[in-house]
Amino acid sequence: MEKQFNVPPVVFPSGSGGLPQQRRAPTAVPPPFQPPRPSNNNLPFMSFDVGSAVPSTSFSNPVFGANTTSGTIGGYGSGFDDELPLLEELGINTRQIWRKSTSILNPIRVNTNLHEDADLSGPFLFLMAFGLFQLLAGKLHFGILLGWVTVASLFLYVVFNMLAGKNGNLDLYRCLSLIGYCMLPMVILSAFALFLPQGGVIVMGMAGVFVLWSTRVCTRLLVELASCGDEHRGLIAYACCLIYVLFSLLVIF
């Protein structure tokens, strides 16, 4: 006898078309985004790797102070050792002012070669010193000093060139320089007058000595530095004496 087996029927879900379901292959997960690297390694771009802590760079270490063997920094300009002092860049030569001042202190032997290059730094310093001593004496004469020096230079310039005629080569700038440097005896007089009674005989006698000192020095410098001055030495000395007598009156009275 044959045995019979009861097999349950197979039921398929609707919409499957009677075909068994197939498993789908898992899709591949795309890798994280990475920026493209430059093809030329010489370009100064930085490339970063995702997940790395240290970035890679193509920059080279900077070099400072290159080409310093010739006294230049990077080939541009000169070094600090080659720079001139600030006073010399402004046209103020302290050594020259000191030499000119010491030459004025000796009225017998005046070195005229030092005064060939005229400047206004020393005269301005002497005028400020003269005004400061006058201020200590209770007199405010800064404006008067600057005005009188300007008028005195114009007066001496006109007188000398009228005497010399067409051969005169004295300019106004040199007049300002010489009159200003010869003010050094007047500065010394104003300093001594602080310790002497005002308007006394001693001050007047000292004023006469210092006026002759300034007159002699200024006359000699003008005669030797300008042409055609020997013929009119007396008239030039008279004009210089009038100038310094006016400044001495500020000290006396």
Side-chain angles (χ1 to χ4, degrees):
M1 283 180 70
E2 295 179 357
K3 294 181 179 181
Q4 295 181 0
F5 297 93
N6 293 324
V7 179
V10 179
V11 179
F12 296 97
S14 59
S16 60
L19 297 176
Q21 295 182 352
Q22 297 179 355
R23 295 182 179 179
R24 296 182 179 179
T27 59
V29 179
F33 174 75
Q34 294 182 356
R37 297 185 179 180
S39 59
N40 191 0
N41 294 327
N42 295 326
L43 294 177
F45 291 104
M46 300 179 66
S47 61
F48 297 93
D49 294 334
V50 178
S52 63
V54 181
S56 61
T57 177
S58 59
F59 284 111
S60 60
N61 294 328
V63 179
F64 298 98
N67 297 330
T68 57
T69 57
S70 61
T72 60
I73 300 177
Y76 301 97
S78 59
F80 292 103
D81 296 336
D82 299 334
E83 293 291 335
L84 295 176
L86 180 59
L87 293 178
E88 292 186 7
E89 290 184 357
L90 296 176
I92 302 174
N93 192 346
T94 54
R95 293 182 180 179
Q96 187 178 9
I97 294 173
W98 175 255
R99 292 174 182 174
K100 289 182 178 181
S101 302
T102 53
S103 66
I104 297 296
L105 293 176
N106 189 1
I108 299 175
R109 296 181 179 179
V110 182
N111 191 356
T112 58
N113 296 325
L114 296 175
H115 295 270
E116 290 182 356
D117 297 331
D119 68 280
L120 297 182
S121 303
F124 183 78
L125 180 63
F126 292 153
L127 288 177
M128 291 298 102
F130 188 87
L132 179 61
F133 287 128
Q134 291 294 97
L135 184 62
L136 293 176
K139 306 172 185 177
L140 187 61
H141 289 159
F142 288 100
I144 295 175
L145 291 175
L146 295 176
W148 281 14
V149 167
T150 305
V151 174
S153 301
L154 287 172
F155 169 71
L156 190 60
Y157 169 76
V158 172
V159 169
F160 185 88
N161 286 284
M162 288 179 64
L163 293 174
K166 297 180 180 180
N167 297 324
N169 59 350
L170 182 67
D171 55 351
L172 185 60
Y173 187 77
R174 186 179 295 275
C175 283
L176 283 169
S177 177
L178 294 179
I179 291 177
Y181 273 106
C182 294
M183 280 288 296
L184 181 58
M186 296 290 102
V187 176
I188 299 174
L189 174 64
S190 62
F192 286 158
L194 295 175
F195 306 98
L196 298 175
Q198 185 176 2
V201 180
I202 300 177
V203 177
M204 291 183 181
M206 292 182 62
V209 173
F210 283 101
V211 166
L212 292 177
W213 182 359
S214 297
T215 301
R216 174 179 173 80
V217 175
C218 187
T219 303
R220 184 172 179 179
L221 291 176
L222 283 172
V223 169
E224 294 188 6
L225 293 179
S227 60
C228 301
D230 294 333
E231 301 175 1
H232 310 284
R233 184 185 293 267
L235 293 176
I236 296 172
Y238 176 71
C240 294
C241 183
L242 290 178
I243 292 172
Y244 292 108
V245 164
L246 291 176
F247 288 106
S248 64
L249 292 177
L250 293 177
V251 180
I252 296 173
F253 301 105

